[in-house]
Amino acid sequence: MSTHSESSDTKSTSVVTPSQSQETLISMANLLGRKWHLVILHQLLTEGAMGFGELKGEIEHISSKVLSDSLDRLETEHELVERRIVSEKPVRVEYAVTDRGRDFAPVVDRIHEWGVEHVLRE
């Protein structure tokens, strides 16, 4: 079984090898398997850019350390979130979803919908 992808500029077909397919799924499991990643992405996609304190206040039960580590991973490893400096003095930053993160929004939305439909019923 091969997966085909179509470029918006050209109609070229590329075959994804089984090894590439497995690597892709492992990378997705790494992203999705982190407890807070989807929660953070959903919050930023829903509410827009937020400061650290504001984000922490909106996400129940997350520690500052875990939020900081998660934001760092989402920024550096996955490139789904970006850190913007809003003001120099005092230093204030906000976090926003990148273009790549917005491309991921339908996945986050569908996972959320599935969870509401199937997990909340249990």
Side-chain angles (χ1 to χ4, degrees):
M1 180 173 152
S2 65
T3 304
H4 294 83
S5 63
E6 211 174 275
S7 169
S8 59
D9 299 327
T10 62
K11 293 198 177 206
S12 65
T13 302
S14 64
V15 176
V16 176
T17 67
S19 176
Q20 290 169 322
S21 181
Q22 291 169 13
E23 287 175 27
T24 299
L25 291 171
I26 290 167
S27 293
M28 291 306 300
N30 182 37
L31 168 64
L32 298 174
R34 302 285 178 179
K35 180 177 179 178
W36 296 103
H37 284 188
L38 286 177
V39 175
I40 293 166
L41 286 170
H42 186 263
Q43 187 66 39
L44 292 173
L45 286 164
T46 304
E47 301 297 324
M50 300 175 86
F52 185 89
E54 185 181 14
L55 192 53
K56 185 174 182 315
E58 290 295 322
I59 300 175
E60 294 181 23
H61 311 296
I62 192 168
S63 71
S64 294
K65 168 86 169 113
V66 170
L67 178 57
S68 179
D69 290 348
S70 296
L71 287 167
D72 185 55
R73 275 187 113 96
L74 288 168
E75 179 183 16
T76 59
E77 289 181 29
H78 303 293
E79 299 175 353
L80 299 173
V81 170
E82 65 183 346
R83 182 180 184 264
R84 301 179 193 153
I85 296 175
V86 177
S87 65
E88 294 290 336
K89 292 185 182 180
V91 175
R92 177 164 147 51
V93 299
E94 69 179 12
Y95 295 89
V97 177
T98 61
D99 288 340
R100 180 178 166 119
R102 280 186 286 284
D103 286 346
F104 194 61
V107 176
V108 175
D109 290 343
R110 185 61 193 116
I111 290 170
H112 181 258
E113 290 168 7
W114 189 92
V116 168
E117 189 174 320
H118 297 282
V119 176
L120 289 181
R121 287 186 184 171
E122 294 175 359

